[in-house]
């Protein structure tokens, strides 16, 4: 049996995803986002959260999914990876669960239209629930984002 991992479960386009709790700083309700010119479409802008300016990424846009208007259940999940704090806009943040690291299988090539490189794997939870585990270092791949920004400039 592998180690237990605490995971925050969030919803995005009718799928359930997971991020390890230790990478999550806070989960916030939607607040006004200041648009930043000349950024990628999925970079929605920045927020000022308790005196810290944090870039906000729409995960739907990052994954090439159709974007949607925020609802009452939309949340911003603030994560920290490699000294970088970033907020992800998600459709909902549902709960915190424990999963066994042994239940995480490597991801198939494409899950729900999302390329495998953004995914750490797929965790089996219970008998019929699959949780798509994000690979945050790829989702926040700085060189790729910089490259994309240069292409748009």
């Amino acid at each position: 049996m592998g180690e237990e991992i605490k995971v925050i479960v969030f919803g995005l386009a009718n799928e359930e995803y997971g991020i390890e709790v230790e990478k999550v700083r806070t989960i916030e309700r939607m607040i006004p986002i200041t648009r930043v010119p000349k950024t990628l479409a999925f970079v929605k802008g920045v927020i000022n959260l308790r005196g810290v300016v944090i870039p906000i990424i729409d995960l739907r846009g990052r994954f090439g999914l159709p974007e949607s208007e925020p609802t009452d259940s939309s949340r911003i999940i603030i994560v920290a990876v490699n000294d970088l704090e970033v907020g992800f806009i998600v459709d909902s943040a549902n709960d915190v669960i424990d999963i066994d690291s042994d239940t995480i299988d490597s991801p198939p090539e494409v899950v729900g239209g999302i390329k495998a490189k953004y995914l750490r794997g797929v965790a089996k939870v219970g008998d019929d629930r699959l949780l798509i585990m994000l690979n945050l270092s790829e989702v926040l791949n700085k060189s790729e984002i910089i490259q994309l920004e240069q292409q748009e400039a």
Side-chain angles (χ1 to χ4, degrees):
M1 186 147 161
E3 62 179 301
E4 289 268 297
I5 306 171
K6 274 207 180 314
V7 173
I8 290 187
V9 178
F10 66 90
L12 198 64
N14 301 322
E15 299 282 352
E16 284 191 311
Y17 294 83
I19 300 178
E20 295 94 331
V21 164
E22 77 237 11
K23 296 196 169 120
V24 175
R25 290 273 194 262
T26 175
I27 299 175
E28 303 289 331
R29 291 186 177 278
M30 292 299 294
I31 57 178
I33 298 171
T34 304
R35 193 84 185 111
V36 178
K38 293 193 184 217
T39 55
L40 299 165
F42 64 80
V43 179
K44 290 301 168 198
V46 294
I47 60 171
N48 181 344
L49 187 65
R50 298 184 265 294
V52 179
V53 175
I54 299 175
I56 302 298
I57 290 177
D58 186 332
L59 269 191
R60 282 175 169 258
R62 179 68 169 128
F63 293 157
L65 299 169
E67 291 188 25
S68 67
E69 286 300 310
T71 65
D72 286 344
S73 55
S74 297
R75 295 289 180 268
I76 298 174
I77 299 178
I78 310 290
V79 298
V81 181
N82 309 333
D83 303 331
L84 183 65
E85 276 198 358
V86 174
F88 293 140
I89 298 174
V90 300
D91 296 349
S92 61
N94 304 331
D95 49 8
V96 177
I97 60 172
D98 290 318
I99 58 173
D100 184 331
S101 60
D102 287 349
T103 65
I104 301 175
D105 294 334
S106 52
E109 279 306 298
V110 173
V111 177
I114 298 171
K115 294 183 189 76
K117 72 175 184 174
Y118 297 130
L119 309 177
R120 174 175 157 197
V122 178
K124 293 183 196 80
V125 181
D127 293 333
D128 57 355
R129 192 172 172 195
L130 290 178
L131 194 60
I132 302 163
M133 299 296 297
L134 288 190
N135 176 348
L136 284 185
S137 54
E138 267 311 318
V139 174
L140 298 176
N141 180 326
K142 273 187 182 168
S143 61
E144 185 179 67
I145 289 175
I146 290 167
Q147 194 178 357
L148 289 167
E149 285 175 347
Q150 287 169 344
Q151 286 173 1
E152 287 203 348

